[in-house]
Amino acid sequence: MKNIAKGFAMLMVLAIALSSCGGGNGAGFEDGVYFAMEDGYSDSGWRYNVTMVVEDGEVSEVSWNGSNINGGVDKVTLSENGGYPMVERGGAMAEWHVQAKTVEDFFLAEQSTEQPDAISGASIHFDEFYALVNEAVEAGPVGYGPYRDGNYTASDAEFHNGWKYFVDITVISGYAVSAHWDAEPEEEGTNKAQRSKDGEYGMVENGGAIAPWWEQARAVEEAFIASQSTDAPDAISGATITIGGFFELAEQALAGAQR
C-alpha cells in the first residue's frame, strides 16, 4: 500500500509540473493577447514581431510580421502586393507571406514553443519567429497596442532652414513598430538622413555634436517606439537635437488612429 500511495503521489507531482509548463506542449498558456518584437533592425532593414491570441489555454491565432527601418507597409502586406518578390528575383519556393503562414500553421498545429529543425514548405529562417514566441510567452499577455494597424505619415507644411521634415510610422497589432524621421531638402539632393550618413551634414566635425544627425534621429525614433506615446519627453538619451518636431509630426500622423 505504501508503494502504491508513493507512486500515486509522484504521478500527482508530475501532473502538476506538466500543467504549469505553459509552452512545452501547448497546455496551460494563460488566456490573452501576447506580443513581442525584436529590439532592433537586422542588416536587411527588417524588425520582426509576433502576435498570439490564447483561448482556453491554447494558441488560437498567431501572426508573424515585420516592419521596415524606413517605415512603409508591413512585410506581409508588402509581400502580398508583390513588393517583396522572393520567387521572381531570388528563386524562392514561395513568397515570404506564404512561407510565414506555413510557419504559423505549423506552430498552431504543434502548440509548442520548441523550434523544429525544419518545416515543410518553409525555406526562410524561422528562428526569429520562435525566439519571439518564447519572449512573448515569458512576458505574458499584454493586449493589443493603442493604435489601429496601418501605415501613417505626416510632414511639415513648409520648409524650415532648407528642410521639410516628415515621419512614417508602421503599426502592427496596435503597436508602433517602426518610425522613420527624415527631411527632404528645399534644393536638389538626398534626404537629410542619407546626407548625414554620407558625411555631407557634418554636425560632429563642424559643430561638435555628440553624434551625426541620423544617429540622433534614430535614438528619437526608438524612444518613441519604447514609449508608444506622442508626448515629447524632456530629454532622450543619445539625442541633443531638437526633438519636439518629431513628436508633433507623430501626433499628426496618428491623429484619429486610436483604437
Side-chain angles (χ1 to χ4, degrees):
M1 291 295 292
K2 286 184 179 180
N3 287 338
I4 293 175
K6 184 177 180 181
F8 179 74
M10 291 179 66
L11 286 173
M12 288 297 292
V13 170
L14 179 60
I16 293 171
L18 287 173
S19 66
S20 65
C21 295
N25 60 1
F29 289 114
E30 182 181 353
D31 286 6
V33 177
Y34 295 70
F35 180 81
M37 68 175 170
E38 293 178 317
D39 292 333
Y41 301 95
S42 66
D43 292 339
S44 65
W46 291 100
R47 164 188 274 165
Y48 292 99
N49 60 80
V50 162
T51 306
M52 299 192 309
V53 178
V54 176
E55 299 175 305
D56 298 327
E58 290 194 352
V59 182
S60 59
E61 299 176 33
V62 65
S63 175
W64 180 24
N65 210 335
S67 58
N68 195 268
I69 193 170
N70 294 319
V73 297
D74 61 272
K75 192 168 187 176
V76 169
T77 301
L78 184 68
S79 178
E80 289 176 340
N81 293 340
Y84 196 76
M86 288 176 52
V87 174
E88 179 184 347
R89 296 182 182 176
M93 61 191 304
E95 301 296 357
W96 191 88
H97 71 281
V98 175
Q99 296 196 52
K101 188 177 186 307
T102 298
V103 174
E104 295 166 355
D105 289 345
F106 180 91
F107 173 74
L108 288 174
E110 295 294 319
Q111 293 287 313
S112 173
T113 60
E114 295 182 8
Q115 180 177 329
D117 294 330
I119 296 176
S120 177
S123 59
I124 57 175
H125 296 291
F126 47 79
D127 50 329
E128 300 99 336
F129 172 82
Y130 279 91
L132 287 168
V133 164
N134 280 278
E135 182 180 329
V137 170
E138 184 177 351
V142 295
Y144 290 109
Y147 308 108
R148 292 199 302 270
D149 289 5
N151 179 230
Y152 301 91
T153 63
S155 64
D156 288 337
E158 301 176 347
F159 288 94
H160 301 280
N161 297 320
W163 299 102
K164 182 185 288 186
Y165 291 87
F166 64 89
V167 296
D168 190 311
I169 298 171
T170 307
V171 176
I172 297 174
S173 295
Y175 295 97
V177 290
S178 290
H180 179 55
W181 183 28
D182 206 344
E184 59 176 296
E186 189 169 11
E187 299 179 354
E188 292 183 0
T190 56
N191 285 353
K192 192 169 187 176
Q194 188 60 52
R195 196 169 297 188
S196 175
K197 291 178 183 179
D198 293 340
E200 299 175 12
Y201 192 76
M203 288 176 55
V204 176
E205 300 84 354
N206 301 330
I210 63 171
W213 187 87
W214 72 271
E215 290 186 9
Q216 297 195 49
R218 183 67 51 77
V220 175
E221 296 163 359
E222 290 301 303
F224 164 69
I225 290 173
S227 70
Q228 296 291 311
S229 173
T230 58
D231 294 334
D234 294 331
I236 292 175
S237 177
T240 57
I241 57 177
T242 303
I243 63 176
F246 168 85
F247 286 92
E248 289 176 3
L249 288 172
E251 184 172 10
Q252 292 177 32
L254 294 171
Q258 295 287 336
R259 277 182 174 266

